Amino acid sequence: MEQLTVFLGKVNDFAWGWPLLTLLLGTGLLLTVRLGLIQIVKLPKALKLIFTAKNHGAGDINSFGALCTALAATVGTGNIVGVATAIAAGGPGALFWMWMAAFVGMATKYAEGVLAIKYRKVDENGQMSGGPMYYILNGMGEKWKPLAVFFAISGVLVALLGIGTFSQVNSITSSINNLTGIAPQIISVVVAILVGVIVIGGIKSISKVSSKVVPFMAILYILACAIILALNLKAIPAAFSTIISSAFTGHAALGGFAGAVMKEAISKGVARGVFSNESGLGSAPIAAAAAKTHWPAEQGLISMTGTFIDSIIICTLTGLTLVITGVWSTDMSAALMTQAAFGTVFGNFGAATLSICLVLFAFTTILGWNYYGERCIEFLFGVKGIVPYRIIFVLMVGLGGFLKIALVWTIADIVNALMAFPNLIALLALSGVVVSETKKYFEHLKQEEQQEKELKSADLESL
């Protein structure tokens, strides 16, 4: 087992080397420029659309449901354990690089949402299917089908071996085991049964659960972190200073006996950032494709808010909590680090609160990734592959409590990288389509606004 862990660690270092990090950040930067800083200029509009989108057009669920399904998959252990892992390995500066990845990642997530709606199709069961495999095939052409197939296979691997199962179940079992002493194996079997009951209903069932649980769990976690920060208000400026300075100079992590240079901070920050918000990974557009909308750009804006909520808000709160309370510089494991930070203010109640948040975060991520893998299976084998896939997925969830966390995170990182490469290639190739759809949508909004003004003016004149 030790040799396997070392081998997978080397594979992971190669997979998340500078070529992929450059491609991730470069794609986001290119889209940021081509779209005119859309993540800043149009963020207010995007946040408003979460609740005001008209939800007209073809689709299986409303835009809010699609966002909650995507957030269910993205807001998970990466926001708690992932941030702690990045800071433990790369120092506080890793959080800065998570911010940078998230900033350009918002443009990436926008483009993914646009292309998801633009190139989606209806499957044999009458459900919407979309995502990178479809915009590669239908947007780039039939000759690129091998790339689409590679993405779909990678997506299934991530769902079954990566974000979708093992890492989430491991976090759930560790958290509940610490609180109650119940064996991880028993917990993972119970989780598998619950997942099985929900995923039978497909996207509508997953969306229904996600729309209720995601807002609750996010508000609970944000409120808990906000209380910790409020009680340490004077320490916040120093924490920001530490984060920014160590991003460029490197900083000793783990109590000073494991130095983390700038390269490590960037690598861990970007890798954990992508693991958390999934911008560039190609997963979120699979959920976005199910949304009821006429306009690709409208869903792109709503999708973009997912990265903002996940990384700019939730990951920042986690990171600041770890730095302000000082737990990042201890030698405790990443899984216990955030729990210790909560304990500094809430005591034993803090551990219980965090455990509830972690369990909810991880459970909804499992649900979201079941759907992502299902759509990839549908692309590869048609609707006949969906039921066998669901059975295998539930069985893999049941196995999650039997694996060690270090191995789990390494496997998850490797399969994430496999999924990211074909999606990023497609985003670069189809960036012109994204720009065109964006212009079309905002021209429509201008015309709509002008028509409303003319109608109001006519009504006034009639009076």
Side-chain angles (χ1 to χ4, degrees):
M1 182 61 75
E2 188 177 337
Q3 288 180 333
L4 177 62
T5 303
V6 172
F7 172 73
L8 289 175
K10 289 179 180 178
V11 173
N12 185 38
D13 290 340
F14 174 77
W16 282 100
W18 288 104
L20 179 55
L21 296 182
T22 302
L23 186 59
L24 271 167
L25 295 175
T27 301
L29 191 58
L30 173 70
L31 290 166
T32 296
V33 173
R34 292 203 69 181
L35 294 167
L37 290 172
I38 195 165
Q39 63 267 63
I40 296 176
V41 178
K42 299 299 181 183
L43 182 59
K45 171 71 175 175
L47 292 170
K48 185 180 178 183
L49 276 172
I50 294 175
F51 305 104
T52 62
K54 294 176 181 177
N55 296 305
H56 295 157
D60 299 321
I61 54 178
N62 62 34
S63 293
F64 181 72
L67 175 65
C68 283
T69 302
L71 279 173
T74 56
V75 179
T77 56
N79 298 85
I80 300 175
V81 182
V83 175
T85 302
I87 292 177
L95 183 60
F96 175 86
W97 295 108
M98 288 184 82
W99 292 338
M100 294 302 100
F103 175 72
V104 298
M106 286 175 70
T108 305
K109 189 70 74 74
Y110 169 82
E112 290 176 327
V114 170
L115 295 174
I117 299 296
K118 174 76 174 175
Y119 294 109
R120 65 185 177 177
K121 76 172 191 70
V122 180
D123 71 15
E124 292 171 29
N125 289 338
Q127 287 189 320
M128 282 294 178
S129 283
M133 54 280 196
Y134 287 101
Y135 53 72
I136 290 171
L137 181 63
N138 299 328
M140 295 171 66
E142 190 70 30
K143 65 181 180 181
W144 291 96
K145 187 174 182 178
L147 192 68
V149 170
F150 181 80
F151 173 87
I153 292 170
S154 300
V156 174
L157 289 175
V158 175
L160 295 178
L161 303 176
I163 299 175
T165 53
F166 296 152
S167 56
Q168 308 303 328
V169 177
N170 197 284
S171 294
I172 291 173
T173 56
S174 298
S175 187
I176 295 177
N177 177 257
N178 288 335
L179 273 182
T180 65
I182 299 173
Q185 294 84 353
I186 294 173
I187 298 166
S188 63
V189 170
V190 172
V191 171
I193 293 169
L194 291 173
V195 169
V197 170
I198 295 170
V199 301
I200 287 171
I203 182 59
K204 291 183 180 178
S205 176
I206 292 169
S207 171
K208 191 175 180 180
V209 173
S210 300
S211 296
K212 289 180 172 62
V213 177
V214 169
F216 169 76
M217 72 184 191
I219 291 168
L220 177 64
Y221 186 72
I222 289 169
L223 185 61
C225 288
I227 291 171
I228 295 172
L229 297 180
L231 293 173
N232 293 276
L233 207 55
K234 291 181 180 178
I236 292 178
F240 273 108
S241 178
T242 300
I243 290 164
I244 293 169
S245 63
S246 63
F248 298 97
T249 61
H251 204 296
L254 298 180
F257 61 81
V261 294
M262 181 178 168
K263 179 182 176 182
E264 190 73 3
I266 297 173
S267 175
K268 295 300 180 185
V270 174
R272 289 290 164 224
V274 172
F275 186 94
S276 177
N277 64 52
E278 299 177 16
S279 296
L281 197 61
S283 51
I286 300 174
K292 293 178 181 177
T293 182
H294 284 305
W295 297 98
E298 181 179 78
Q299 190 56 40
L301 289 172
I302 294 171
S303 294
M304 182 177 80
T305 64
T307 299
F308 179 77
I309 293 166
D310 178 277
S311 294
I312 304 299
I313 296 177
I314 298 177
C315 285
T316 297
L317 288 171
T318 301
L320 284 174
T321 300
L322 295 173
V323 175
I324 282 172
T325 56
V327 298
W328 73 273
S329 60
T330 64
D331 60 356
M332 67 179 66
S333 69
L336 297 175
M337 208 179 276
T338 313
Q339 194 173 89
F342 271 54
T344 61
V345 170
F346 300 110
N348 292 334
F349 176 71
T353 302
L354 184 66
S355 293
I356 291 169
C357 291
L358 192 56
V359 168
L360 291 174
F361 278 26
F363 185 75
T364 54
T365 298
I366 293 169
L367 297 180
W369 269 96
N370 169 78
Y371 178 70
Y372 291 164
E374 180 182 299
R375 292 296 94 190
C376 289
I377 283 288
E378 187 276 330
F379 178 82
L380 292 169
F381 305 108
V383 295
K384 65 181 181 294
I386 292 175
V387 172
Y389 161 80
R390 287 176 180 170
I391 293 169
I392 294 169
F393 185 89
V394 171
L395 289 174
M396 297 300 272
V397 170
L399 288 173
F402 296 82
L403 297 174
K404 292 182 179 179
I405 193 164
L407 188 62
V408 165
W409 283 99
T410 304
I411 293 171
D413 276 347
I414 292 169
V415 290
N416 280 2
L418 293 177
M419 196 172 172
F421 271 112
N423 180 55
L424 292 168
I425 291 168
L427 291 176
L428 290 171
L430 298 171
S431 60
V433 176
V434 176
V435 173
S436 174
E437 287 294 329
T438 303
K439 288 179 179 176
K440 194 186 299 182
Y441 175 65
F442 285 108
E443 282 172 8
H444 162 75
L445 290 183
K446 281 182 183 177
Q447 290 174 1
E448 209 174 51
E449 192 178 326
Q450 184 61 36
Q451 287 172 357
E452 286 179 4
K453 285 181 180 178
E454 289 174 0
L455 284 171
K456 285 181 182 178
S457 177
D459 287 343
L460 289 171
E461 287 176 7
S462 67
L463 292 172

